[in-house]
Amino acid sequence: MVQRLLVLLLAFGLAACTGLPLNAVAPRVSVAEVDIKSLGLLEQHFDVGLRVSNPNDFDLIIVALEFELEVNGRPFAQGLSQASTRIPATSSAVMRVDAIMQSKNLIQLFKTLPPEALKDGVPYRIKGRVKTDRSSSWVPFDHAGVYGRDEKPRGHAV
């Protein structure tokens, strides 16, 4: 009896650490688009569209999100949002988040980004954490992808 109680407490304890209910899957976050808001001498401001996917069979409300974005293996921008966004069950939505980039990161990016990257797509990694309405704990995320890759229609010669 005591052994079963300990196993049950351990399972609930692990679920509490994830910041989501026991049967929930963490939302996935990827970059949907990046638009320039303003360019300055010391920092640049971007409007970043983050696609947040909810694989669960219940709605999630994202109450806060923070992230660091790397481009081509280099720091690019950081962002934070406390705008509440509902992500329907088994669906996705794009959250708009303000992000800031330091000029030194932009200079390093231009030095290391190969010219063909703009045509082939730019590798990125986004990592951070989200807070949902389902828990007071933060849930981490980490995703790598390629932004801006031209999708060529199948069956057509280039």
Side-chain angles (χ1 to χ4, degrees):
M1 177 70 175
V2 172
Q3 197 172 26
R4 286 185 186 173
L5 181 61
L6 286 174
V7 169
L8 188 59
L9 287 174
L10 179 63
F12 283 126
L14 289 174
C17 290
T18 68
L20 291 171
L22 186 57
N23 62 343
V25 177
R28 292 184 296 266
V29 179
S30 61
V31 177
E33 59 187 334
V34 178
D35 295 315
I36 298 171
K37 287 179 78 173
S38 67
L39 300 174
L41 180 62
L42 299 177
E43 63 184 23
Q44 292 69 48
H45 293 256
F46 296 91
D47 177 32
V48 180
L50 298 179
R51 178 158 309 280
V52 182
S53 300
N54 176 10
N56 298 292
D57 59 359
F58 52 84
D59 291 359
L60 280 177
I61 297 176
I62 305 297
V63 296
L65 180 144
E66 64 180 17
F67 70 91
E68 294 177 7
L69 180 59
E70 296 175 0
V71 172
N72 202 36
R74 299 251 181 216
F76 182 75
Q78 298 178 347
L80 173 66
S81 175
Q82 292 184 335
S84 182
T85 303
R86 177 180 297 278
I87 313 298
T90 63
S91 189
S92 66
V94 175
M95 287 183 67
R96 308 304 309 184
V97 182
D98 290 332
I100 298 174
M101 169 196 239
Q102 301 298 315
S103 292
K104 65 179 181 175
N105 293 345
L106 182 62
I107 293 166
Q108 287 299 319
L109 180 64
F110 281 132
K111 285 182 179 178
T112 61
L113 194 62
E116 65 273 3
L118 296 178
K119 186 179 97 178
D120 297 336
V122 179
Y124 75 88
R125 179 178 179 199
I126 184 166
K127 56 186 174 180
R129 59 189 189 151
V130 296
K131 188 181 269 191
T132 72
D133 63 328
R134 299 278 177 160
S135 173
S136 60
S137 300
W138 289 85
V139 179
F141 63 84
D142 191 337
H143 174 80
V146 178
Y147 179 78
R149 177 176 286 162
D150 289 335
E151 296 296 328
K152 297 188 177 40
R154 295 177 189 209
H156 293 90
V158 182

